[in-house]
C-alpha cells in the first residue's frame, strides 16, 4: 500500500505555504499605500485650507476696498453739495444773504439726503479792519451775532451762517482761523481752489465730543487761476461740519457689514468700531489697511473682520477633509490588518485540517491493517478448522459405512433410516468442509502470470468430462484470450461456473454450454451460458452469498460456497461477476477481468 | 390429539423430528414440507377446507429459496387473521442471537426452539398450549 509521508511533502506545496505565510504579513507596499494615502490626505487638506485662506483674504480685502470706495463716494457727494453752495453764492452775485442761504440749504434737504453732516454753512473771509462792518451787516438780521474766539491771526474766517440753525448755534460766529486744523485746511482750500477737509477736530456743536472734521469749498470774487489771484479774489468758504460716526450711516451702516474698521488721520482716530460692546470677546484674525487720499488728508482705513464674516465660509471644510482622510487611512490600515489576519487564520486552519486529515488517514490505515489481520486470521481459522474437522469426520464416515453394510438387513426401519441419514450427513459434511477450505484458500497470495484461458478451460472440461458425459452435455468454447491473473483462482472460477451450468441443467432438453470472451478498452468480459433451469431475478444477488442455496440438498446437492468463491475471486482480480437469467430457459454468468491488472488492489 | 406441520428442507431433520413427536404420543398427525412454498400450499388448502389446519407449525429459518422469515411474510399475506389457528415455533440450528431475538419479538411466533427437537422439548412446549 502506498503511504504518504508528511516529511516528503511536495516542495511546490511547501513553497506555496511559505508564500501564503508571507502574504499573511503587512509588507512595504502596504505601508507605501498607506503613506501615499496619508500624504495625499495632508496635501488635499493643505491645498483646501490654502484655498479657503486665499478666498477669505480676497473677500476681506475686497470688502475693505468696498468700504474705502463707499467712504470716498459719500464724501464726493458732500463735495457736490458744497460746490452747489458755491454756485448758489455766485448766482447771488458773489455773496449771499442769510435768508437766501437758508432757502438754498433747506432745498438741499440735508436731514434726509446728507445724513452725515450737521449742516451746510458759509464762512466769509473778513480782514481785521473790516470786522466791524462785517459784524454790523450780520447783526442786521441776527442782533447777537458774535465772532469768537479771538486769536492773533491776521485774517478772520467766521462762520456766518449754518443751516439748519437748530443744533448748530455754537458754531455760528465761530472763527475757524482760531485753530490750526481748521485754518490750515481753509487756507489750503483757498490756495488750491479745491475742496479740502480738516484734520480731526471736535465740533463745537457736538455735545458728545465725537471726532469730526470740516469740509470746505472756496469761492472767489474774481478770476482764480494762480495762487496769487486766488488769495486776492478769495471771498470765503462753503463748509459742512461732519461727525464721522454720522457719516457711516446708510449704506455704510455697521450692521450691513461683516468688516469693521477704524479711520485714522495721522494717528488720530476719526472713527473706531473696535470699542463697541458687540462681539467684544471676539478676537479678529484678519487685518487690513487702506490709504484714502481725501481732499488734502491721508486717511488710513484699518479693517478687521466680524464674527459674522466667517459665517460665509465653511471653515470646517479642510478639517473635514483631513478627518475624513485620516479616517479612511485608519480604515485602510484596519482592512490590511484584517486581511492579513484572515490570511493567517485560513492558513492555520488549512494546516489544522491537513493535520486532522493526516491523523484520520493514519487511523484509517491502522484500521485497514487491523481488518486485514483479522480477516487473515479468520481465513486461517476457517482453513485450519475445516481441515482439522475432516479427520474425525472421516472416522464417522468410515464407521457409518461399516454400520450401513452390517445393518442393511435390520428388521427395524428406524435403524436402517438412521444409518442412511448418518452416511448422507457425513458425505455432505465432507463436501461442505472441502468447499470451505477452498474458499478460505482463495485469498492466499495470487501468483500473477500470463495465462491462456483456452488451456485453463480445456483442463476444467477434462476434469468434468465424466459429468459432461453423464449429462450428455454439449460444450462450445469460442477462442479465449491470454490474460494476466492467478492460475489456480482462475481455474476455480471456470470450474465452479461450468460445474454449475452442468449441475442445474434441465431434464427435458440437452444440456448446452457456451463459453466466450469479449473485450472492451479496459476489460475482458467472459460469459458462460447454459440452457438450464434458470434463476428468478430476485435471487440474482443472494446466490453469491456463502451457504446460500436455492435448492434442497436432497434435490441438487451442493455446499452453497461455489458462487461466493467466484465473487471472491473476481473481486481479487479487480473485476466483477453478475448474471442474466430466465427461469426455465437458462442462465448466463458474466465476469470481467481488467486488462491491466492492479496488483496492489 | 394435536396435529403438527414441520417445515424444513432437511429430510434427515424431518425424519428425526417426526420420530420424536410421535414418541410423545400427543399427536395424531405429523406432516412435513421441505420448502416454504409447499408449506404455504398446504396451509392454503387448509383454509379452503381441503385439509385440516395444523395446531402446531415448526418452522426452520434456513430453508433454500424462500427462507423462514420470508415464509412468515407470505403467511401474513395469504392467511387471514381469523384463519391463523396454528401456533408457530421457530425450530432452527441457528446460534445467531439476532435470529433468536427476532423470533421472540415476532408477533406470529410463539417460541424459539433450537434443534434438535427432542421428545422432552416437544412435550414441554405442547404443555404450554
Amino acid at each position: 500500500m502506498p503511504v504518504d509521508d508528511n516529511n516528503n511533502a511536495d516542495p511546490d506545496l511547501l513553497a506555496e505555504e511559505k508564500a501564503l505565510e508571507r502574504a499573511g504579513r503587512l509588507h512595504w507596499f502596504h505601508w507605501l499605500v498607506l503613506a501615499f494615502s496619508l500624504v495625499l490626505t495632508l496635501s488635499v487638506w493643505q491645498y483646501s485650507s490654502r484655498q479657503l485662506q486665499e478666498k477669505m483674504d480676497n473677500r476681506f480685502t475686497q470688502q475693505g476696498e468696498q468700504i474705502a470706495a463707499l467712504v470716498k463716494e459719500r464724501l464726493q457727494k458732500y463735495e457736490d453739495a458744497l460746490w452747489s453752495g458755491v454756485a448758489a453764492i455766485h448766482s447771488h452775485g458773489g455773496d449771499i444773504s442769510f435768508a437766501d442761504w437758508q432757502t438754498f440749504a433747506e432745498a438741499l434737504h440735508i436731514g434726509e439726503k446728507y445724513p452725515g453732516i450737521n449742516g451746510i454753512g458759509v464762512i466769509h473771509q473778513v480782514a481785521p479792519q473790516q470786522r466791524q462792518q462785517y459784524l454790523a451787516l450780520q447783526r442786521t438780521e441776527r442782533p447777537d451775532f458774535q465772532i469768537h474766539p479771538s486769536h492773533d491771526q491776521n485774517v478772520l474766517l467766521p462762520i456766518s451762517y449754518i443751516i439748519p440753525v437748530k443744533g448748530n448755534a455754537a458754531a455760528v460766529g465761530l472763527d475757524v482761523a482760531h485753530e490750526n486744523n481748521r485754518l490750515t485746511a481753509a487756507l489750503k482750500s483757498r490756495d488750491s481752489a479745491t475742496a479740502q477737509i480738516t484734520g480731526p477736530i471736535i465740533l463745537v456743536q457736538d455735545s458728545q465730543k465725537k471726532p469730526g472734521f470740516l469740509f470746505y469749498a472756496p469761492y472767489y470774487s474774481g478770476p482764480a487761476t494762480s495762487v496769487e489771484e486766488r488769495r486776492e479774489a478769495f471771498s470765503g468758504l462753503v463748509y459742512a461740519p461732519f461727525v464721522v460716526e454720522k457719516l457711516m450711516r446708510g449704506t455704510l451702516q455697521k450692521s450691513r457689514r461683516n468688516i469693521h474698521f477704524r479711520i485714522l488721520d495721522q494717528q488720530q482716530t476719526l472713527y473706531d468700531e473696535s470699542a463697541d460692546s458687540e462681539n467684544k470677546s471676539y478676537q479678529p484674525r484678519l487685518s487690513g489697511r487702506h490709504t484714502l487720499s481725501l481732499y488734502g488728508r491721508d486717511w488710513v482705513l484699518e479693517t478687521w473682520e466680524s464674527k459674522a464674516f466667517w459665517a460665509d465660509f465653511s471653515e470646517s471644510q479642510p478639517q473635514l477633509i483631513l478627518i475624513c482622510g485620516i479616517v479612511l487611512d485608519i480604515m485602510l490600515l484596519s482592512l490590511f490588518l484584517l486581511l492579513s489576519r484572515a490570511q493567517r487564520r485560513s492558513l492555520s486552519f488549512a494546516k489544522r485540517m491537513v493535520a486532522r486529515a493526516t491523523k484520520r488517514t493514519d487511523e484509517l490505515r491502522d484500521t485497514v491493517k487491523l481488518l486485514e489481520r483479522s480477516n487473515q486470521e479468520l481465513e486461517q481459522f476457517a482453513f485450519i478448522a475445516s481441515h482439522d474437522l475432516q479427520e474425525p469426520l472421516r472416522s464417522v464416515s468410515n464407521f457409518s459405512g461399516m454400520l450401513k453394510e452390517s445393518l442393511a438387513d435390520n428388521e427395524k426401519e428406524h435403524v436402517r433410516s438412521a444409518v442412511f441419514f448418518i452416511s448422507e450427513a457425513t458425505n455432505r459434511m465432507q463436501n461442505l468442509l472441502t468447499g470451505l477450505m477452498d474458499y478460505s484458500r482463495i485469498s492466499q497470495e495470487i501468483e500473477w502470470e500470463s495465462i491462456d484461458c483456452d488451456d485453463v478451460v480445456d483442463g476444467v472440461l477434462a476434469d468434468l468430462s465424466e459429468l459432461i458425459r453423464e449429462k450428455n452435455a454439449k460444450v462450445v468454447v469460442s477462442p479465449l484470450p491470454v490474460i494476466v491473473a492467478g492460475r489456480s483462482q482462475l481455474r476455480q472460477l471456470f470450474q465452479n461456473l461450468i460445474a454449475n451450468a452442468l449441475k442445474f441443467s434441465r431434464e427435458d432438453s440437452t444440456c448446452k454450454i457456451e463459453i466466450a470472451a469479449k473485450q472492451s478498452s479496459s476489460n475482458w468480459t467472459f460469459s458462460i451460458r447454459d440452457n438450464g433451469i434458470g434463476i428468478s431475478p430476485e435471487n440474482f444477488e443472494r446466490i453469491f452469498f456463502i451457504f446460500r442455496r436455492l435448492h434442497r440438498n436432497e434435490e441438487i446437492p451442493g455446499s452453497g460456497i461455489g458462487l461466493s468463491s467466484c465473487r471472491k475471486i473476481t473481486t481479487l482480480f479487480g473485476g466483477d461477476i453478475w448474471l442474466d437469467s430466465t427461469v426455465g430457459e437458462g442462465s448466463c454468468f458474466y465476469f470481467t477481468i481488467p486488462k491491466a491488472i492492479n496488483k496492489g488492489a | 390429539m394435536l396435529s403438527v406441520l414441520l417445515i424444513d428442507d432437511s429430510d434427515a431433520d424431518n425424519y428425526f423430528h417426526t420420530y420424536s413427536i410421535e414418541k410423545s404420543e400427543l399427536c395424531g398427525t405429523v406432516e412435513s414440507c421441505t420448502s416454504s412454498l409447499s408449506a404455504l400450499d398446504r396451509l392454503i388448502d387448509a383454509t379452503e377446507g381441503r385439509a385440516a389446519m395444523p395446531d402446531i407449525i415448526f418452522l426452520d429459518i434456513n430453508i433454500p429459496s424462500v427462507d423462514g422469515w420470508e415464509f412468515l411474510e407470505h403467511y401474513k399475506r395469504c392467511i387471514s387473521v381469523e384463519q391463523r389457528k396454528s401456533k408457530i415455533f421457530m425450530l432452527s440450528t441457528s446460534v445467531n442471537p439476532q435470529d433468536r431475538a427476532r423470533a421472540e419479538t415476532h408477533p406470529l411466533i410463539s417460541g424459539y426452539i433450537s434443534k434438535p427437537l427432542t421428545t422432552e422439548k416437544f412435550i414441554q412446549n405442547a404443555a404450554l398450549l
Side-chain angles (χ1 to χ4, degrees):
Chain A
M1 179 188 292
V3 175
D4 273 331
D5 197 340
N6 288 334
N7 298 333
N8 315 338
D10 195 339
D12 284 352
L13 275 180
L14 276 177
E16 196 163 335
E17 190 186 320
K18 284 265 156 58
L20 280 173
E21 257 169 24
R22 274 199 302 280
R25 293 190 292 265
L26 288 188
H27 292 285
W28 60 269
F29 47 85
H30 292 115
W31 295 116
L32 188 72
V33 167
L34 268 179
F36 180 72
S37 116
L38 207 60
V39 166
L40 199 68
T41 304
L42 291 174
S43 314
V44 171
W45 170 59
Q46 276 292 321
Y47 176 75
S48 78
S49 31
R50 215 172 309 137
Q51 283 289 103
L52 184 71
Q53 190 65 46
E54 219 164 276
K55 197 172 154 196
M56 287 187 313
D57 287 348
N58 282 345
R59 173 88 59 94
F60 180 72
T61 313
Q62 200 185 348
Q63 288 190 7
E65 277 167 0
Q66 219 164 29
I67 288 166
L70 277 171
V71 168
K72 205 165 184 172
E73 192 184 290
R74 185 155 286 189
L75 283 173
Q76 273 164 1
K77 192 177 158 197
Y78 291 113
E79 187 194 359
D80 290 346
L82 293 181
W83 288 121
S84 68
V86 170
I89 291 167
H90 282 303
S91 70
H92 282 84
D95 201 0
I96 194 164
S97 68
F98 175 71
D100 288 338
W101 185 252
Q102 193 166 20
T103 309
F104 162 76
E106 280 168 0
L108 284 179
H109 298 290
I110 288 169
E112 298 92 60
K113 296 208 166 165
Y114 300 94
I117 51 176
N118 273 18
I120 186 161
V122 179
I123 295 166
H124 283 105
Q125 172 174 259
V126 180
Q129 61 271 27
Q130 291 170 330
R131 180 186 167 101
Q132 289 309 318
Q133 196 186 333
Y134 169 77
L135 276 175
L137 184 66
Q138 299 304 325
R139 281 174 184 163
T140 55
E141 283 179 71
R142 292 168 294 169
D144 44 2
F145 184 86
Q146 293 278 343
I147 294 175
H148 60 95
S150 57
H151 55 82
D152 48 9
Q153 299 292 333
N154 59 357
V155 68
L156 296 175
L157 290 167
I159 295 168
S160 309
Y161 335 118
I162 177 150
I163 302 297
V165 178
K166 197 181 169 207
N168 284 315
V172 175
L174 182 78
D175 188 347
V176 296
H178 82 278
E179 185 264 332
N180 195 39
N181 268 339
R182 290 175 173 90
L183 177 64
T184 310
L187 294 181
K188 207 169 161 191
S189 179
R190 176 198 70 187
D191 292 351
S192 63
T194 56
Q196 293 285 321
I197 57 179
T198 66
I201 54 170
I202 302 293
L203 296 182
V204 291
Q205 62 268 56
D206 182 14
S207 57
Q208 293 179 4
K209 308 285 177 209
K210 290 278 169 77
F213 61 90
L214 303 183
F215 199 178
Y216 300 124
Y219 66 95
Y220 304 92
S221 56
T225 44
S226 67
V227 176
E228 285 72 33
E229 278 177 348
R230 287 171 192 156
R231 284 182 181 171
E232 191 59 38
F234 181 64
S235 303
L237 300 153
V238 175
Y239 99 106
F242 286 80
V243 173
V244 185
E245 207 164 90
K246 288 183 185 165
L247 191 69
M248 300 308 162
R249 290 185 187 150
T251 50
L252 271 169
Q253 204 159 328
K254 195 176 156 194
S255 59
R256 296 189 182 174
R257 290 179 271 115
N258 287 330
I259 299 284
H260 294 173
F261 63 93
R262 73 167 68 89
I263 298 173
L264 299 175
D265 185 335
Q266 291 181 345
Q267 313 303 327
Q268 264 185 291
T269 304
L270 271 177
Y271 176 71
D272 192 355
E273 290 175 346
S274 71
D276 290 357
S277 58
E278 185 200 349
N279 296 330
K280 226 172 189 175
S281 57
Y282 178 71
Q283 282 292 320
R285 285 152 49 187
L286 303 171
S287 67
R289 208 174 151 87
H290 304 268
T291 307
L292 276 169
S293 286
L294 284 172
Y295 308 104
R297 302 301 300 183
D298 286 329
W299 284 4
V300 173
L301 189 71
E302 285 183 357
T303 53
W304 63 92
E305 89 289 359
S306 75
K307 201 174 174 183
F309 179 78
W310 301 110
D312 290 351
F313 299 97
S314 70
E315 218 190 339
S316 54
Q317 193 182 331
Q319 269 96 322
L320 207 65
I321 288 171
L322 182 67
I323 289 167
C324 286
I326 287 172
V327 166
L328 278 177
D329 285 343
I330 290 171
M331 279 163 70
L332 200 61
L333 181 64
S334 315
L335 197 66
F336 284 158
L337 289 173
L338 276 175
L339 277 177
S340 72
R341 216 180 104 198
Q343 185 114 20
R344 283 200 300 273
R345 278 182 64 179
S346 53
L347 187 65
S348 98
F349 176 71
K351 277 182 177 168
R352 266 182 293 143
M353 284 305 284
V354 166
R356 192 187 290 181
T358 311
K359 198 180 155 201
R360 181 88 44 94
T361 312
D362 288 347
E363 282 169 7
L364 274 178
R365 198 184 304 138
D366 290 348
T367 311
V368 166
K369 270 185 189 158
L370 204 70
L371 283 175
E372 273 175 350
R373 199 183 311 136
S374 111
N375 205 32
Q376 237 167 9
E377 280 170 359
L378 272 176
E379 277 171 355
Q380 197 80 10
F381 170 79
F383 179 74
I384 290 168
S386 52
H387 181 266
D388 290 5
L389 283 173
Q390 276 189 328
E391 209 183 299
L393 187 63
R394 241 189 324 275
S395 301
V396 175
S397 176
N398 294 341
F399 291 109
S400 68
M402 268 173 64
L403 278 178
K404 205 175 168 184
E405 269 175 40
S406 47
L407 293 175
D409 302 329
N410 195 294
E411 71 272 17
K412 281 196 173 169
E413 197 262 335
H414 276 323
V415 176
R416 291 199 306 274
S417 295
V419 174
F420 169 76
F421 283 126
I422 289 169
S423 74
E424 281 291 298
T426 43
N427 283 342
R428 197 174 165 211
M429 182 86 166
Q430 268 169 340
N431 286 336
L432 272 173
L433 286 176
T434 312
L436 200 57
M437 213 156 70
D438 289 345
Y439 182 81
S440 56
R441 235 186 344 219
I442 289 169
S443 53
Q444 284 174 357
E445 201 57 37
I446 299 172
E447 285 170 26
W448 298 95
E449 56 181 310
S450 275
I451 302 164
D452 188 343
C453 294
D454 282 320
D455 289 349
V456 174
V457 171
D458 283 350
V460 170
L461 291 177
D463 284 356
L464 294 171
S465 57
E466 201 176 321
L467 189 60
I468 291 167
R469 220 178 2 260
E470 196 181 297
K471 292 266 180 182
N472 197 19
K474 198 183 164 200
V475 183
V476 180
V477 185
S478 303
L480 297 177
V482 175
I483 60 166
V484 175
R487 187 176 289 275
S488 65
Q489 287 89 352
L490 187 65
R491 189 192 166 90
Q492 199 180 343
L493 188 55
F494 277 115
Q495 166 113 25
N496 289 351
L497 291 174
I498 296 168
N500 276 353
L502 290 165
K503 200 157 87 179
F504 298 101
S505 62
R506 272 182 291 160
E507 303 285 329
D508 56 347
S509 68
T510 316
C511 174
K512 200 179 158 193
I513 300 168
E514 290 167 18
I515 302 166
K518 235 170 44 181
Q519 62 174 322
S520 71
S521 59
S522 56
N523 291 317
W524 282 105
T525 304
F526 294 85
S527 59
I528 291 102
R529 184 182 299 276
D530 65 48
N531 59 342
I533 57 171
I535 299 164
S536 63
E538 67 261 27
N539 292 319
F540 280 5
E541 194 49 39
R542 74 165 85 187
I543 54 172
F544 291 106
F545 289 124
I546 193 165
F547 300 133
R548 261 302 183 167
R549 302 213 57 225
L550 299 180
H551 305 276
R552 295 202 319 129
N553 198 53
E554 286 79 356
E555 289 159 3
I556 302 169
S559 60
I561 294 172
L563 282 177
S564 61
S565 296
C566 291
R567 169 158 285 178
K568 195 170 174 184
I569 291 164
T570 52
T571 306
L572 277 172
F573 285 168
D576 201 0
I577 186 167
W578 71 98
L579 73 147
D580 246 343
S581 183
T582 311
V583 175
E585 287 181 18
S587 307
C588 186
F589 280 81
Y590 301 93
F591 66 89
T592 55
I593 292 181
K595 283 178 173 174
I597 296 288
N598 180 10
K599 294 180 187 181
Chain B
M1 294 291 265
L2 295 166
S3 62
V4 175
L5 176 63
L6 298 168
I7 308 173
D8 197 325
D9 64 305
S10 165
D11 286 340
D13 282 357
N14 284 336
Y15 186 89
F16 182 75
H17 294 151
T18 307
Y19 176 77
S20 302
I21 293 165
E22 282 173 347
K23 227 173 114 187
S24 74
E25 294 180 342
L26 289 170
C27 290
T29 54
V30 182
E31 289 171 77
S32 58
C33 290
T34 53
S35 75
S36 296
L37 295 178
S38 64
L40 273 172
D41 284 342
R42 164 68 183 78
L43 291 173
I44 289 166
D45 280 352
T47 62
E48 289 167 358
R50 289 194 293 272
M53 190 60 87
D55 296 309
I56 303 171
I57 297 172
F58 288 108
L59 175 64
D60 187 20
I61 293 175
N62 298 311
I63 313 170
S65 187
V66 178
D67 72 11
W69 299 117
E70 286 163 334
F71 167 81
L72 289 171
E73 292 304 309
H74 290 300
Y75 178 85
K76 205 154 70 179
R77 200 162 41 76
C78 298
I79 314 293
S80 66
V81 178
E82 310 84 68
Q83 291 165 332
R84 293 176 198 166
K85 289 176 184 144
S86 314
K87 294 274 174 190
I88 304 175
F89 289 88
M90 268 291 173
L91 183 62
S92 181
T93 42
S94 173
V95 288
N96 188 345
Q98 278 177 343
D99 279 342
R100 176 178 277 272
R102 193 173 160 194
E104 280 167 355
T105 54
H106 199 292
L108 291 173
I109 291 176
S110 304
Y112 184 96
I113 302 164
S114 57
K115 280 182 184 175
L117 178 67
T118 57
T119 307
E120 293 78 52
K121 278 190 197 167
F122 176 71
I123 292 169
Q124 260 175 29
N125 283 287
L128 295 174
L129 294 173

